[in-house]
Amino acid sequence: MKKIYLLFLPILLFSCMESSENVEMERLLGVWMHEFSNEDETIESTISFIADGTYIIENRRVQSSEGFNPGLIDAYKGKFSLEAGKLTFSDKIFFFTEDFVNPPATIEALRQGENVKYPKQTAKVSFEENNKVMVLLYDCPGPEPEEDEVLVECLDLGPLPYNQVKNF
């Protein structure tokens, strides 16, 4: 009997790990928002995690002391994966506004950055407050860029809390 138990133990452990990873992925899906301010403006950053493994990050100015209008400043689209509590952003495409003073309201009105390839970016992810707050702690420095990738400056970001805005 003991030998049979030992044979099934790895299967049982693997099943629990896979199930746990699925639970983490389901917690991640939805729209999350982080707001930050500097002396000149307030920016609302949202991350949408979609079940097909894609994400959209939008950075929207909501207030400015410099007389700049509210609107979408830039955005990123790409793919994400989650493994062992580590979130990986890949295949990043950058979009930006051509009019910083009067930015547009939608991502379709932004201009896509061309011929720029970004390296993968990783962050540890955890959840707080009954899964309504997601905390990202970016790895700095991230993975070394490939030969054709842009070197992305790594800001020494502390834990970034994102509040859940919408659950998919």
Side-chain angles (χ1 to χ4, degrees):
M1 187 67 173
K2 198 179 225 184
K3 289 180 185 179
I4 293 174
Y5 174 73
L6 290 175
L7 285 173
F8 287 108
L9 184 61
I11 296 169
L12 180 63
L13 289 174
F14 180 74
S15 298
C16 291
M17 288 187 329
E18 187 175 339
S19 173
S20 173
E21 200 63 45
N22 288 339
V23 168
E24 291 296 310
M25 184 65 84
E26 287 176 16
R27 275 191 222 168
L28 195 61
L29 299 179
V31 180
W32 301 85
M33 194 239 342
H34 173 76
E35 188 174 280
F36 58 95
S37 298
N38 59 32
E39 14 181 276
D40 300 325
E41 60 190 358
T42 301
I43 304 293
E44 186 179 274
S45 181
T46 59
I47 304 177
S48 300
F49 293 104
I50 304 160
D52 66 359
T54 60
Y55 72 89
I56 300 170
I57 298 174
E58 296 182 8
N59 294 306
R60 185 174 307 277
R61 179 188 307 125
V62 293
Q63 180 274 327
S64 170
S65 64
E66 297 291 315
F68 297 155
N69 291 325
L72 193 57
I73 298 170
D74 60 34
Y76 297 89
K77 289 183 177 183
K79 295 180 182 176
F80 74 92
S81 61
L82 180 65
E83 187 174 321
K86 187 164 273 199
L87 184 60
T88 301
F89 297 96
S90 61
D91 299 331
K92 187 186 288 187
I93 300 170
F94 176 62
F95 299 85
F96 62 96
T97 181
E98 293 183 290
D99 185 355
F100 193 75
V101 175
N102 297 301
T106 64
I107 197 170
E108 292 78 22
L110 295 176
R111 182 170 176 202
Q112 181 176 337
E114 297 177 13
N115 301 323
V116 178
K117 189 173 178 187
Y118 294 94
K120 292 179 181 177
Q121 189 173 20
T122 57
K124 293 180 182 100
V125 63
S126 60
F127 297 93
E128 298 175 354
E129 296 182 29
N130 202 19
N131 298 323
K132 297 297 180 193
V133 175
M134 172 184 69
V135 179
L136 296 181
L137 181 58
Y138 286 92
D139 292 334
C140 285
E144 283 292 316
E146 298 293 324
E147 186 175 311
D148 60 343
E149 294 177 333
V150 170
L151 178 62
V152 177
E153 186 176 325
C154 185
L155 302 174
D156 191 16
L157 301 173
L160 294 176
Y162 286 80
N163 295 310
Q164 188 176 44
V165 177
K166 184 177 180 182
N167 190 357
F168 294 147

